Structures are given as structure tokens and as C-alpha cells.
Amino acid sequence: MSETVLTDTFFANFDLHPLLKQGLDAAGFTRCTPIQELTLPIALAGRDVAGQAQTGTGKTCAFLVAMMNRLLTQPAAADRKDSDPRALVIAPTRELAIQIDKDAQSIGRHTGLRTALIYGGVDYDKQRQQLKDGCDIIIATPGRLLDYYKQNVFGLNSVEVMVIDEADRMFDLGFIKDVRFIFRRLPAREQRQVLLFSATLSHRVLELAYEHMHEAEKLVVETDNVTADRVRQVVYFPAKEEKMPLLLNLLERTQAERSIIFVNTKAAAERITDRLKRQGYRVGALSGDVPQLKRQKLLQRFQEGQLDMLVCTDVAARGLHIPAVSHVFNYDLPQDAEDYVHRIGRTARLGAEGDAISFACDLYAMSLPEIETYIGQKIPVASVDPEMLVMPKPKAIDAQYAADAAADSAAFGDRVEPREGDKGPRGGRSGSRDGKRDGRGPRPPRSAEARPPRAAVAEAAVAAVAEAAAPNPVTAPDGTPTDASGAPRKRRRRGGRGRNRRDGEASGSEATAAAARPASENGAPRGERRPPRERRAGNEAAAGRPSRQVAVQSGVPAEASAPKKPGFFRRLTRLFTGR
């Protein structure tokens, strides 16, 4: 930590619990930053605080120290249940919640306070059981927390300290209704303490603070600039198609050891990540579509130096402390000025130095004046050299990185598995294009006996036509078909195209063909039936009557071979008039 961001105030000067002091010493915290020096005297006295300071100046440590000291020095409520927490920390993103829990474990390692990390995407039953077993501090995102609360897994009647980190982001992500719901379930404002921290305190955040906090004290660390002083900012003005070669050439020229590339959409993150991989860089993507476990593993590898860069949406722009980030690239200029401050705050943390390079293309350049007005300074403009727009040659791909990427794809996959009972994308059909069926194993092969060979079917069809064309000995003298006993057999009437009646009576040849038709055409199994056209062709050949097309071509009118069926209105007229 740089000496320029530390004050002459030591943590030993405050009246802290001995176990908490022991944890601070073990974690290496001895001197306070400006925001800690300003807020700790008021927060340790039990008053509500709304603090604002630049990102990366130790706000997390400030509210953790005040919260843990209160829990260690004051007894819990007499009617508190084992599953009810004493403190609640709300964060807008999962990554920020994980970071706060990591800092709480480091500072409070000797205090004996039990913490529970609650966020969506993983370990639903495990987190539920952890809350049932009881804890002192809950660090959570609002969605999963309220899910458990509405199931009566825990209660909020014994909460003594409520902490909201990055409160302005709660509004941006639509969590403010959930935050108000939590506030209304807490004890009275005189019986609780609320600590609210953010790098930017807008008017709507202050409205929330004064609505639900008890005589809150607004504390702002005064600085000349909203952004960190040691961040070297520069902006380029490329066209949309020139941003990728410009980025690749800047990565080679600056020799960035550890960098973060911010984009505005998840599709852009995937596209840029694939291109950087082909160029030979060790890169990972962080967006809302990436599974939570994979996101945590990518962050861990990036912190350990196994990845050169991360391509992120604004998921990673808030609260994450990743040491030694040398460069931040705004591949897409943010549409919100506050997001720009949080993005470039990933570098030059705790007094270090860093570079923030932004691309103002034709799609997002209109956000630049608002950003410069918000930060109170003009961003220096750099010229684009023609040689920087030439695509550089790709590097050799690292074998270890390729193996890790393949292992991640095998472990987590690149698509979200459908839930049980969900229908597939095509009318309920399940399975993938490669023929695999989810959860049911491979499809069993069809047996040879299920469907007869095509040659056997063709021979049966020829035999049926020949049998139908032969003279029928079981007929009456007038041509009426009879059964074996000599009684007239009822003719089966058929509708549709095959129906041919003349003056209400069927022709004798057609009746003979119908009587001689083998049973294999109608009652045969599905695999042995002939198509309707083949059956009609066989019937016509058996009756000795040419088809309608043959009759027309041979000079016989089509009406003579097949009378025209009366129309709908003609049939209605006959029905009502009898004509």
C-alpha cells in the first residue's frame, strides 16, 4: 500500500475489541486511509453513516471494522433465535459479495463470528442449511436472500447492523425495491445501525439514506478529482471496425502484464474473447451468461497470473480488488458516467499507478462529454497512427492455457442445461443435433423384424394388384359381390377422392375391385402399407379403368371418366328445395 493514501491515524488509536485488533494486525492493517479515518470515530459510536470516497480506498474495511466491533462489544437481543443473524451486508453483485466475505474472513479470523455467504447460481441447499444452522453475519445479494427469508429460513428481527455497499448500483440493477423490503422488516431505526458506502452518492441514494436511516451523517472524502490521481487517462477516436487492430497493437506496445477490457454487451465480450484467443493471448470472459463457478475460477486464475487479461461487462466494475492491474481498456465507452469511474478504478488501487485507455467509436462517442463533465476534467486525446490499424500476426498459443480452457469447457460447458420438464426448442423434442438424448442414454437400434425389406413390400404390392385384376368367382349373376354363404355383401362406402358414384350406385367393376382388394392394404402393419397413390393406381389397374389424366390425354373428356362433384351451394339448394 502506498504511503500517499495512508494517514497518520493508527487502528490502535481506536477503542477496538482485542480480538479484532489481533485480526487487523494479522491482515497487515495498521494505519487508516482517509475514508477510514473519517468514518470510524462516528461508526464506532453507533451512529448511522453514509460515506463516499474514491474506489480502492478501503471502504470495505471501514464498515467491517465498525460492524464487528459492535457485535463483539454489545450483547445480542434476548429474544434472538439461533437462525437469526445479528448483522446484514447487502452487495449488488455476486463477485462483490465474495470479495466482502473474503475480507471479513481475513479481518475476523480471531473473533469467532460466524459468517454466511449467500448469492445465486450455486449451492442452494447448502446455503439454506448454513442459514438454518445459524450465523452472526450474512453477506448476500438481495435476490437469493429474500428467497430464503420468504421461506422462513431466518428472521430479521434481531439485526443490529445493516450495511449497503455500492448503493447506487442497487438502483441500476433494479434491486432498490428489494432493499426497501428488507428495511421495512428490520427493527426500529433507533434500535439498529445502518452504514451506507459507495464511490458515488447520487440524489436518489441520499433519499434512500434519509428515508430509512436515523440521523445519518454524510461523510465525503474531498479530492481534487473524482477519479484516482495516479490513473493516466487517454482516449482514441477509431471507427468501429478499427477498434480490434488498435487494441491488439496497443497490447503489444504497452506490454500490459495484467489488464481488463470492458465492453457494454455480452455478445461483444464473447466476440472479443474469441479473437484474442486466436491471437495467442491468455484471456477469459466475465459476463452474466458465464456460470458462477466458472466466473470464480477465472477470477482466481487472473489474480494468480495464469491469465493475461479479462474481457468483462460491468459485472466486474464494482468493488473487486484485483491487485497489480496495470491497464484498463474501455473497448466500448460506457453510457453512464459513473460506470466510467468504477471501470478505471480497477487500476491504480491503494496508491498504485495505472493506465486507462478508452475507445470513443461512432457508436458510443456521444457519452464522452457527459463523462468529462462528471469527472471534472478533459481526457487527453491520442492520435491513431496508420500502422496501428494493421492487424498484427498471432502469437503461439500457450499449451497450459489451452488445457485449462478445455478443462473448463468440459467441467462447466458453454451452454445452460435445460431444467427437468422443460420442452425443447422444437415443439417438445428433446436432445441435440448429434442424436444424443438428455438423461435417457443413446437411442436403441431398430430391429430388422420391425420393418420388412422394401423388396418384400414391393412383391406383396404386385401380387395384390394381380390378384385384384383376376376374375372374381364369388359374385352374383348381376355382378353383385357375395360372401362365402352366397348372401350379398355390404359395400364399404369411402369418402374423399376415391369415392365414385353414378346415380347413387357404384359401378360393378369398382365393387369387384373393392371386394378383391387384399386385407394387407388396409389392415396391415404400418410398415407394410402402401401409399395412397399406389393403392389408387392398383385399384384403377384392377378395375380396367384408366386414370383421369390418361383419359384426358387419350381424347376422352375428364367429365366422362369421373363426374364432377356438385358444389356446396348446389348441395344446399337440393337440401332445401328438393330439386
Side-chain angles (χ1 to χ4, degrees):
M1 184 180 294
S2 175
E3 295 291 332
T4 57
V5 298
L6 296 178
T7 64
D8 295 333
T9 303
F10 292 83
F11 283 99
N13 298 341
F14 299 106
D15 186 16
L16 300 178
H17 194 276
L19 295 178
L20 183 58
K21 287 183 179 180
Q22 186 177 355
L24 288 172
D25 294 338
F29 292 96
T30 56
R31 296 165 60 183
C32 299
T33 60
I35 185 63
Q36 295 167 0
E37 179 188 29
L38 193 62
T39 59
L40 280 178
I42 300 176
L44 291 176
R47 296 174 57 187
D48 293 358
V49 172
Q52 175 184 352
Q54 291 180 353
T55 179
T57 55
K59 296 185 294 295
T60 303
C61 179
F63 66 73
L64 284 178
V65 170
M67 176 183 63
M68 290 184 176
N69 187 76
R70 174 171 178 139
L71 298 183
L72 292 173
T73 56
Q74 296 186 10
D79 56 347
R80 174 177 176 263
K81 299 179 181 179
D82 294 337
S83 60
D84 293 347
R86 299 182 60 190
L88 188 60
V89 181
I90 304 298
T93 62
R94 302 171 184 175
E95 286 73 22
L96 181 55
I98 295 173
Q99 181 69 46
I100 295 173
D101 179 72
K102 182 180 178 181
D103 295 339
Q105 296 289 346
S106 176
I107 296 175
R109 66 184 70 179
H110 301 291
T111 60
L113 296 174
R114 297 170 298 172
T115 61
L117 178 60
I118 306 300
Y119 59 94
V122 293
D123 300 335
Y124 188 89
D125 294 333
K126 182 179 178 181
Q127 294 177 5
R128 179 188 177 95
Q129 187 61 39
Q130 188 177 7
L131 290 176
K132 281 187 175 182
D133 295 340
C135 61
D136 299 309
I137 304 172
I138 292 181
I139 303 172
T141 54
R144 178 64 67 88
L145 179 72
L146 290 183
D147 187 6
Y148 291 133
Y149 174 76
K150 293 179 181 180
Q151 299 178 31
N152 296 323
V153 178
F154 66 95
L156 298 175
N157 298 326
S158 302
V159 173
E160 305 173 29
V161 184
M162 171 77 171
V163 179
I164 302 178
D165 196 13
E166 301 295 347
D168 54 345
R169 191 62 174 168
M170 294 287 185
F171 285 91
D172 299 336
L173 297 180
F175 290 140
I176 195 60
K177 290 185 178 180
D178 296 338
V179 174
R180 294 183 186 275
F181 180 88
I182 295 173
F183 268 122
R184 289 193 293 266
R185 269 71 182 175
L186 294 179
R189 63 182 66 190
E190 294 82 7
Q191 302 175 7
R192 68 174 189 247
Q193 181 182 13
V194 179
L195 305 176
L196 188 147
F197 287 87
S198 180
T200 54
L201 289 179
S202 59
H203 294 290
R204 54 184 181 179
V205 175
L206 294 177
E207 179 184 1
L208 174 69
Y210 294 128
E211 180 181 357
H212 296 283
M213 299 173 69
H214 179 61
E215 298 179 358
E217 186 78 18
K218 179 183 177 182
L219 302 177
V220 179
V221 177
E222 298 293 341
T223 56
D224 296 334
N225 300 320
V226 177
T227 59
D229 297 333
R230 291 178 173 266
V231 179
R232 295 180 291 268
Q233 305 177 54
V234 66
V235 61
Y236 290 87
F237 286 90
K240 178 182 177 181
E241 61 274 5
E242 296 173 349
K243 291 198 295 184
M244 179 54 66
L246 178 61
L247 173 64
L248 295 176
N249 284 282
L250 286 175
L251 289 174
E252 289 188 355
R253 290 192 177 187
T254 58
Q255 298 294 326
E257 299 178 356
R258 186 178 297 179
S259 57
I260 299 178
I261 303 172
F262 283 102
V263 295
N264 289 345
T265 62
K266 294 179 287 188
E270 296 176 358
R271 184 177 65 253
I272 295 172
T273 302
D274 293 340
R275 189 53 188 266
L276 291 175
K277 286 181 180 178
R278 294 198 300 268
Q279 289 294 126
Y281 289 99
R282 300 181 301 173
V283 59
L286 286 183
S287 66
D289 288 343
V290 180
Q292 182 61 35
L293 292 177
K294 186 175 181 179
R295 287 156 68 174
Q296 294 176 217
K297 181 167 289 189
L298 289 176
L299 280 175
Q300 180 181 358
R301 290 177 179 173
F302 184 65
Q303 294 177 357
E304 294 175 355
Q306 300 179 15
L307 295 179
D308 298 326
M309 63 191 69
L310 286 178
V311 180
C312 310
T313 57
D314 286 322
V315 168
R318 298 291 182 116
L320 292 184
H321 176 61
I322 303 175
V325 175
S326 59
H327 291 74
V328 169
F329 293 90
N330 285 311
Y331 189 88
D332 294 335
L333 205 62
Q335 298 176 342
D336 191 353
E338 295 182 4
D339 290 338
Y340 177 82
V341 175
H342 288 282
R343 284 184 180 185
I344 68 174
R346 299 312 100 200
T347 186
R349 296 182 66 83
L350 298 178
E353 296 183 354
D355 294 273
I357 302 174
S358 302
F359 296 162
C361 65
D362 46 359
L363 294 180
Y364 302 106
M366 67 287 296
S367 303
L368 185 60
E370 181 183 356
I371 292 174
E372 293 178 340
T373 302
Y374 183 79
I375 64 178
Q377 58 179 320
K378 296 287 290 185
I379 302 177
V381 179
S383 60
V384 180
D385 298 333
E387 59 269 14
M388 298 180 66
L389 301 180
V390 179
M391 192 69 69
K393 295 182 179 180
K395 303 178 182 179
I397 299 178
D398 188 1
Q400 182 62 36
Y401 165 72
D404 293 340
D408 290 345
S409 299
F412 304 105
D414 296 328
R415 64 183 181 90
V416 179
E417 295 293 338
R419 294 184 178 180
E420 185 178 357
D422 288 353
K423 292 184 177 181
R426 296 185 181 180
R429 294 178 59 185
S430 60
S432 57
R433 293 184 178 181
D434 55 1
K436 297 181 180 179
R437 304 191 299 171
D438 298 335
R440 295 179 290 174
R443 187 184 299 275
R446 296 180 178 178
S447 61
E449 300 178 356
R451 176 178 293 181
R454 294 187 177 182
V457 176
E459 293 178 1
V462 174
V465 173
E467 183 180 355
N472 187 7
V474 189
T475 54
D478 57 351
T480 303
T482 60
D483 54 11
S485 61
R489 188 171 60 182
K490 293 183 178 181
R491 175 179 175 272
R492 182 179 178 184
R493 301 185 63 181
R494 294 179 176 272
R497 292 185 177 180
R499 191 173 182 178
N500 185 12
R501 291 180 292 178
R502 187 188 303 272
D503 298 332
E505 297 292 337
S507 62
S509 60
E510 183 178 358
T512 304
R517 184 182 296 114
S520 61
E521 292 184 15
N522 298 326
R526 180 180 294 273
E528 300 180 5
R529 296 180 185 175
R530 291 188 299 162
R533 292 184 179 179
E534 295 183 8
R535 291 202 295 267
R536 288 197 298 269
N539 297 340
E540 293 167 356
R545 177 175 57 83
S547 63
R548 183 179 302 181
Q549 182 179 3
V550 174
V552 173
Q553 292 178 355
S554 62
V556 181
E559 289 77 4
S561 59
K564 185 176 180 181
K565 185 178 179 180
F568 173 72
F569 292 102
R570 176 68 65 181
R571 294 199 301 271
L572 283 179
T573 304
R574 289 181 180 179
L575 177 63
F576 289 103
T577 62
R579 297 179 182 178

